[in-house]
Amino acid sequence: DWSSDVCSSDLTRMTVRDLLALTPGAVLELDRAAGSPADLLVNGRLVARGEVVVVDEDFGLRVTEILDANAAV
């Protein structure tokens, strides 16, 4: 379902549709600094863990662990 919620821990929350509609220069408010740990949740389900990164003044999430279906809670 493309209208599913997506959440990266306390960083931000948006639908998959809104995530796919982001364009270069889009601004999202984050409450973490680079290097901080973050969880990636889809439909409230933890699917990956990572850390906030900055690349050429752009923020992102470096995925360091993808959880398998049995481990995801």
Side-chain angles (χ1 to χ4, degrees):
D1 180 6
W2 288 104
S3 65
S4 300
D5 284 339
V6 172
C7 176
S8 181
S9 190
D10 294 328
L11 295 176
T12 193
R13 184 177 195 94
M14 64 179 52
T15 64
V16 172
R17 175 173 282 122
D18 292 342
L19 178 68
L20 294 173
L22 290 175
T23 59
V27 177
L28 298 175
E29 185 175 335
L30 304 178
D31 69 350
R32 304 240 178 131
S36 298
D39 294 334
L40 177 65
L41 291 90
V42 176
N43 285 339
R45 185 174 178 189
L46 180 64
V47 296
R49 290 192 171 102
E51 66 178 310
V52 178
V53 295
V54 179
V55 178
D56 295 330
E57 297 182 18
D58 296 320
F59 284 84
L61 177 68
R62 175 183 294 136
V63 174
T64 57
E65 178 184 7
I66 297 175
L67 302 174
D68 63 31
N70 296 327
V73 177

